[in-house]
């Protein structure tokens, strides 16, 4: 008699096989940026596994590759919303974003509001990185701004702080319950990563409207859709199941994976 193998054990073995086989033949994760690569879909469908594998192999603080000014070949292609028509945004834009105020609230001991000069007053950092869009294009650009961790240090996240939610000005579609706005979430590992920043400048110029003026997120180890443009408010939250479609982002609510590691 053969020993009985439980269905659960077979399933577990299968899942690990799917996750490790493609990685075994691949020294880098570059293929993950190619949306036509079947391996990527397998990995993305085992999204939690991808997260665990990448974080254990690459480390929580592993840095995204940085480039030099010589690598800036073409401009950052504007994608998604490129010219928000929401009245609150148009009013700010009309006055050159002088009246912009960024509230940072939620699971924090000291909620605070930052003007653009407050954000410029924080230590500034720059990085030249490659942006990979899930649609299959990439672009290298220089981003400058304030580290998200410096902002979080000011507001003092509580023990309930598990995710950082970015609410955006732009409307993606109209639904029966009103306009559907772009939003995104990242977890605390990504939020305090040294390259995660609120970008105020692109290629040494104030952020253009098409690329997210006046403030956009850079999360350099993730795909482009995580990098919220036109940030209206930041909320630190214990979870995101009660926000919009409950999957942690506009594109996630439409089927994309929450963990978009590259
Ligand atoms: N608010 C907002 N943020 C957004 C989007 C958007 O439509 N609205 N598109 C996302 C996608 S899919 C990409 S690839 C990048 C594009 O950034 P870029 O316009 O600077 O290239 O922004 C991301 N952030
Ligand atoms: Mo994208």
């Amino acid at each position: 008699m053969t020993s009985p193998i439980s269905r659960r054990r077979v399933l577990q073995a299968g899942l690990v096989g799917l996750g490790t086989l493609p990685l075994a033949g691949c020294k880098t994760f570059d293929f993950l940026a190619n949306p036509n690569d079947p391996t990527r879909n397998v990995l993305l469908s085992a999204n939690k596994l991808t997260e665990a594998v990448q974080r254990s192999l690459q480390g929580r603080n592993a840095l995204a590759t940085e480039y030099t000014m010589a690598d800036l070949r073409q401009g950052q292609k504007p994608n998604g919303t490129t010219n928000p028509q929401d009245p609150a945004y148009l009013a700010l834009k009309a006055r050159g974003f002088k009246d912009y105020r960024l509230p940072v609230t939620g699971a924090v001991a000291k909620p605070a509001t930052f003007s653009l000069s407050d954000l410029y007053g924080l230590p500034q950092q720059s990085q030249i990185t490659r942006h990979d869009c899930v649609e299959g294009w990439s672009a290298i650009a220089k981003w400058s701004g304030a580290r998200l961790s410096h902002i979080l240090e000011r507001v003092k996240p509580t023990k309930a702080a598990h995710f950082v939610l970015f609410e955006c000005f732009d409307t993606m579609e109209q639904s029966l319950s009103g306009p559907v706005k772009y939003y995104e979430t990242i977890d605390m590992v990504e939020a305090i990563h040294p390259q995660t920043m609120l970008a105020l400048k692109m290629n040494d110029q104030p952020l253009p409207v098409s690329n997210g003026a006046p403030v956009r997120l850079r999360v350099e180890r993730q795909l482009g859709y995580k990098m919220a443009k036109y940030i209206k408010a930041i909320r630190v939250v214990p979870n995101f199941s009660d926000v919009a479609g409950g999957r942690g982002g506009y594109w996630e609510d439409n089927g994309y994976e929450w963990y978009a590691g590259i």
Side-chain angles (χ1 to χ4, degrees):
M1 261 189 58
T2 51
S3 63
I5 301 171
S6 77
R7 182 175 159 74
R8 194 178 140 84
R9 287 208 46 180
V10 172
L11 282 176
Q12 276 173 350
L15 190 62
V16 171
L18 281 181
T20 51
L21 265 179
L23 291 176
C26 206
K27 287 205 178 63
T28 72
F29 294 94
D30 275 353
F31 64 91
L32 285 169
N34 177 1
N36 299 322
D37 191 312
T39 309
R40 181 171 183 274
N41 294 329
V42 171
L43 279 180
L44 287 184
S45 68
N47 192 231
K48 271 312 215 186
L49 188 68
T50 310
E51 181 180 344
V53 167
Q54 284 195 18
R55 284 205 171 144
S56 62
L57 290 184
Q58 298 180 315
R60 300 181 135 216
N61 293 315
L63 296 177
T65 306
E66 295 198 13
Y67 297 81
T68 68
M69 289 305 268
D71 299 311
L72 266 65
R73 294 202 188 83
Q74 73 285 306
Q76 170 81 11
K77 171 190 147 92
N79 199 42
T81 303
T82 53
N83 193 11
Q85 293 302 308
D86 302 74
Y89 186 81
L90 291 176
L92 290 171
K93 184 173 107 173
R95 292 183 32 85
F97 301 107
K98 281 190 199 69
D99 309 320
Y100 177 79
R101 297 291 180 275
L102 173 66
V104 186
T105 62
V108 297
K110 295 187 167 194
T113 297
F114 297 82
S115 66
L116 280 183
S117 53
D118 292 334
L119 294 174
Y120 276 108
L122 292 168
Q124 301 292 293
Q125 74 180 41
S126 293
Q127 59 215 28
I128 301 171
T129 50
R130 197 184 71 195
H131 179 108
D132 293 315
C133 175
V134 73
E135 291 165 9
W137 57 269
S138 309
I140 294 172
K142 178 178 177 183
W143 303 98
S144 312
R147 240 181 98 160
L148 183 60
S149 68
H150 290 151
I151 290 151
L152 293 174
E153 276 163 24
R154 294 280 175 104
V155 297
K156 308 230 174 303
T158 66
K159 285 210 172 67
H162 293 144
F163 300 95
V164 182
L165 166 72
F166 302 87
E167 297 178 285
C168 305
F169 282 102
D170 53 318
T171 299
M172 300 302 285
E173 58 189 272
Q174 295 293 336
S175 79
L176 292 176
S177 45
V180 178
K181 301 270 185 173
Y182 202 91
Y183 77 104
E184 257 305 333
T185 53
I186 57 174
D187 66 13
M188 284 297 169
V189 171
E190 244 25 84
I192 64 173
H193 184 273
Q195 289 169 319
T196 299
M197 66 150 84
L198 296 186
L200 306 168
K201 288 185 167 183
M202 187 186 84
N203 298 338
D204 295 320
Q205 301 298 321
L207 213 54
V209 165
S210 55
N211 300 100
V215 180
R216 72 97 51 88
L217 178 66
R218 296 298 306 170
V219 209
E220 302 295 358
R221 303 184 301 178
Q222 302 267 312
L223 288 169
Y225 64 88
K226 300 298 289 187
M227 308 204 212
K229 308 196 284 188
Y230 317 112
I231 299 175
K232 183 183 186 187
I234 295 180
R235 261 198 295 149
V236 180
V237 294
N239 59 64
F240 47 73
S241 53
D242 59 347
V243 179
R247 301 201 52 200
Y250 171 76
W251 283 115
E252 288 85 334
D253 288 340
N254 286 280
Y256 286 14
E257 297 293 345
W258 179 80
Y259 185 77
I262 45 177

